[in-house]
């Protein structure tokens, strides 16, 4: 089945450590996104990528980094510079550019807890 | 800037009750409007959408009408089920420039038997 796979589902990190969240899609979508979800705050965009080897900062990119070396993969690194990393992270994909109508396809999310 | 405001939850209902979740928006252009649903422990999935004024989106018994005069897109269902318990997000999308979805804060719905 086509879809988006995020791993790990749960992750615990000590303060000062970098962690990388995986996101893989087999929908053949060009555009991919990372959102952060906190209780009562909806979803906030961290980074997005319209095409391989290109990505843009979203609204809350500080303390995060991404890469887009392959169309199907868009990993997110939460660095030690992120002040409050405990959150639920969602990866999504869509058709790009003029074909993007606002419909996003989401993975099941990764819950990161900093101890 | 563009924004979405949803009614605060949680909304608690008995099975077969009528559901309304209010959503209003502020946008400079002519946005498309969406409702996404998040079941416990899962990502979001598109529930319904409307792309222009007076359009009605519908799916799984849920409906929402795009009201430009009141800048609203309220979600309704005539008879909820326990399986509808989830968090519902209203969102808007305006094309051009920075193409992105803007989400509301979400409204948690709990349906009891």
């Amino acid at each position: 089945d086509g879809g988006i796979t995020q791993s790990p589902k749960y992750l615990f990190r000590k303060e000062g450590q970098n962690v990388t969240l995986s996101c893989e899609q087999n929908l053949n979508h060009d555009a991919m996104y990372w959102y952060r979800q906190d209780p009562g705050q909806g979803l906030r965009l961290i980074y997005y990528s319209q095409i391989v080897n290109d990505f843009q900062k979203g609204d809350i990119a500080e303390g995060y980094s991404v890469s887009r070396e392959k169309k199907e993969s868009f990993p997110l690194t939460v660095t030690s510079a992120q002040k409050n990393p405990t959150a639920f992270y969602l990866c999504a994909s869509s058709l790009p550019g003029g074909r993007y109508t606002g419909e996003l396809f989401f993975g099941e999310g990764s819950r990161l807890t900093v101890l | 800037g563009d924004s979405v405001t949803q009614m605060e939850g949680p909304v608690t209902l008995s099975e077969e009750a009528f559901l309304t979740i209010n959503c209003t928006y502020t946008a400079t252009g002519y946005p498309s409007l969406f409702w996404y649903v998040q079941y416990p422990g899962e990502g979001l999935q598109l529930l319904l959408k409307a792309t222009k004024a007076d359009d009605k989106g519908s799916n799984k018994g849920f409906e929402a009408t795009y009201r430009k005069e009141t800048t609203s897109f309220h979600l309704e269902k005539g008879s909820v089920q326990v399986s509808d318990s989830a968090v519902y997000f209203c969102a808007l999308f305006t094309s051009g420039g920075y193409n992105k979805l803007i989400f509301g804060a979400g409204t948690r719905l709990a349906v009891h038997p």
Side-chain angles (χ1 to χ4, degrees):
Chain A
D1 281 17
I4 298 179
T5 302
Q6 290 187 240
S7 63
K9 196 171 178 68
Y10 300 95
L11 185 61
F12 297 89
R13 183 195 103 176
K14 293 182 180 179
E15 282 192 29
Q17 290 181 334
N18 292 356
V19 293
T20 298
L21 307 180
S22 170
C23 178
E24 303 279 331
Q25 56 100 359
N26 60 4
L27 298 168
N28 201 33
H29 285 167
D30 288 308
M32 297 186 74
Y33 307 79
W34 274 105
Y35 284 88
R36 171 180 170 139
Q37 185 179 14
D38 295 283
Q41 293 193 42
L43 276 69
R44 293 181 289 170
L45 183 64
I46 304 172
Y47 268 98
Y48 70 106
S49 169
Q50 303 270 25
I51 198 167
V52 174
N53 293 322
D54 183 59
F55 49 83
Q56 306 294 330
K57 292 182 179 180
D59 300 316
I60 56 164
E62 185 176 351
Y64 300 97
S65 66
V66 294
S67 63
R68 188 81 188 280
E69 297 176 1
K70 298 186 297 182
K71 183 176 182 176
E72 54 273 16
S73 179
F74 191 41
L76 173 74
T77 297
V78 184
T79 75
S80 57
Q82 168 52 232
K83 299 302 180 191
N84 185 21
T86 295
F88 190 53
Y89 292 88
L90 287 161
C91 180
S93 70
S94 73
L95 296 171
R99 292 182 291 163
Y100 177 36
T101 60
E103 182 171 355
L104 291 178
F105 296 81
F106 284 86
E108 294 195 344
S110 293
R111 186 168 297 280
L112 172 63
T113 302
V114 174
L115 305 173
Chain B
D2 295 354
S3 65
V4 175
T5 302
Q6 290 182 236
M7 64 187 289
E8 287 191 24
V11 174
T12 303
L13 295 173
S14 298
E15 208 164 22
E16 299 183 3
F18 184 86
L19 169 71
T20 300
I21 299 178
N22 290 339
C23 171
T24 57
Y25 67 90
T26 301
T28 53
Y30 299 93
S32 295
L33 300 173
F34 301 82
W35 278 100
Y36 280 81
V37 59
Q38 184 179 33
Y39 297 104
E42 298 183 8
L44 279 69
Q45 55 186 273
L46 179 65
L47 180 60
L48 54 84
K49 66 179 181 181
T51 58
K52 61 183 187 297
D54 300 325
D55 270 2
K56 177 184 284 188
S58 62
N59 186 25
K60 299 181 180 180
F62 291 89
E63 293 183 340
T65 301
Y66 188 163
R67 302 283 190 203
K68 189 178 176 195
E69 63 276 13
T70 55
T71 62
S72 65
F73 193 54
H74 305 321
L75 182 68
E76 297 182 335
K77 187 176 186 184
S79 176
V80 294
Q81 305 301 312
V82 172
S83 57
D84 294 327
S85 299
V87 181
Y88 292 82
F89 292 90
C90 186
L92 71 83
F93 170 74
T94 51
S95 59
Y98 183 8
N99 290 336
K100 69 172 182 178
L101 272 181
I102 297 172
F103 287 90
T107 302
R108 182 174 298 278
L109 170 66
V111 181
H112 299 288

